[in-house]
Amino acid sequence: MSTPYPFTAVVGQSDLRLALLLNAVSPAVGGVLVRGEKGTAKSTAVRALSALLPQVDVVPGCRFSCAPAAPDPACPDGPHEPGPGAARPARMVELPVGASEDRLVGALDIERALAEGVKAFEPGLLADAHRGILYVDEVNLLHDHLIDLLLDAAAMGASYVEREGVSVRHAARFLLVGTMNPEEGELRPQLLDRFGLTVEVAASREPAQRVEVVRRRLAYEDDPAAFAGRWAGDEQDVRARVVAARALLPQVRLGDTSLLQIAATCAGFEVDGMRADIVMARTATALAAWAGRAEVRKEDVRQAALLALPHRRRRNPFDAPGLDEDKLDEILDGFPDEEPENDPDPDPDPEPEGPDDGGPEDGGPDGGGGGIPPQGGPEAPEAPEAPAPDESPEAPETRESPDSPAQQPASRDGAAPEQAAVRAAEPFRTKMLSVPGLGEGASGRRSRARTAHGRTTGAQRPRGQLTKLHLAATVQAAAPHQKARGRSGRGLVVRKDDLRQATREGREGNLVLFVVDASGSMAARQRMSAVKGAVLSLLLDAYQRRDKVGLITFRGSAAELALPPTSSVDAAATRLEQLPTGGRTPLAAGLLKAHEVLRIERLRDPSRRPLLVVVTDGRATSAGTAGSAPSSGSAGTDGGDPRALAGRSARLLQAEGIASVVVDCESGPVRLGLAGVLAADLGGPAVTLDGLRADSLAGLVKNVRTASDTHRRAA
């Protein structure tokens, strides 16, 4: 067994270490979610925590780690006879991103359950993690139904396995730790709320701290045992402190003033629900126990807020987590301090220190000093408000149509010059856009697909391990053979060949690739603000439907992949917000760039079907370049005519069966209808900015017409 990196040897990372230790003191806090960029020692710190947990006493031979003093009465391996237990270290169990449901919660032998009535149960990772740590790296990439099962077990302290009326329950109480890189996608707000604490980590920019990180890492890799030996004393000190804090925890008093401070803080920051209040109370109590005090103080409540509230204040995926510390102090200053009751004030440093820890400027791979840095960074300044139409010399809409090229100051090549980025309009709820047909991609909420969860549509022979039994089809397959199998009693003789897997239909997530026109014809400020608002609305819809997204922009003489396909829709929103406009319109270049990106993504993830969303007014004034030449005979140049080349590029995408939607951005009294022509070449519908709204008048008229036509046919 390899020697783990010592917990006390992690440089800096004060918030992360404190949050992990508070959960070790009081697992009821609810776990930790660690957010940060790659290479910031998130996994190293989590894996090192298990060595600091006290040993646990278990019933010998019990696969579910029952405590000898209080065994679980519903344990599948029980009932347990009284007797001495066996001590073993607390386990740290890792849940892989690609784990199946059966691997997480355990599996029943369906064949034995049906034929013999025996609950033959194979425990999963939840049983292994009982009374230990369950670690999920890249938790944001875990399938939603697995996250639901995981968090339900963490909240209830038990795991339930149900298979066609056969039920098994066992205890599952563990310290839940998840790590994630926000660049790869966010967790849903309701899932974020289920994690007790969250910390943000980032690599230090201080050269001295980075040098210390490298020095310690190289020393560990040269001789792990000798390096761990240097820190053995500090590890033992922290381990003893965890044990002492656990013993003190039941004696810690949470007074009425502290409870009022907690309630006022949660109300002041408009946190939804009551879970935040409960988590803050448990965290403040654990902080007092960790500091060796029997009374919760204002500083405990403040620190608890910094750890428990930032991730609960997000209203949508584009909001950055964080907390206004000035506002927090203002709320807490409105309450008097608790009066200590015979409480000595040791006030020990809440940071575990070790030898050669870098002095007062101690830092690490994530920066931070000896104290507790604030959670989250300063709030990003808002983009400047777009000027009103009568204030903008570039969009005098009271005099001319915003679509008129004549109103844009001309550059040397006759195209509008580049203009600064404008703010997006307020997002809105969009219509449902989906890929036609039946897919088999990753679970999501957009297009119809064969999935592991959903409406049962049929049955088939299982391919590999049986996961979802179709009981009626299984009985139907076994029934004709009962006489030949010598059935004599009431039980059904079932063999493995009789088992049938249920086929289910649900929804999948797609790859939504946005191709956005950023040329001069889109540059009128009010118009581009509306376009960005529409794309932002579609991005929010993609987030809610579990899609991957990508962003291509085209202007001037080329198209650019502004954001490669990713699960992080907030990254796409950031790129969109910073998008400048101006120049000619290389529509063909944007379409060919989309063709190239989708070809590569098809090789990487062939089961995820794409949805191409082209946001443009349909104009094409430049052939441009897409970064790669089109294949011969497909969409090559056509005499340099930008419109003809755009049409051929669109038909290339249609020939490959790529589902497309054109968002028509043309406005003004005179319309050329070029976006509709482009949509016909792509083989998809065209929808206006107003028609994109789920509650638009156009959508209402369409629904009325559909209902009217149905009634007429019925008559």
Side-chain angles (χ1 to χ4, degrees), residues 150-175:
L150 178 64
L151 294 178
D152 283 343
M156 296 186 297
S159 175
Y160 295 85
V161 183
E162 304 281 349
R163 290 289 189 277
E164 304 298 336
V166 181
S167 176
V168 171
R169 173 207 169 277
H170 64 83
R173 292 183 294 274
F174 47 81
L175 195 166

Side-chain angles (χ1 to χ4, degrees), residues 22-31 174-175 246:
L22 291 177
N23 274 271
V25 171
S26 175
V29 166
F174 47 81
L175 195 166
R246 281 189 174 186

Side-chain angles (χ1 to χ4, degrees), residues 492-512:
L492 189 67
V493 181
V494 180
R495 294 181 179 174
K496 190 172 184 178
D497 291 342
D498 301 327
L499 300 179
R500 294 295 183 268
Q501 175 87 20
T503 58
R504 305 194 176 199
E505 182 178 314
R507 294 281 174 176
E508 67 177 357
N510 299 109
L511 167 58
V512 183

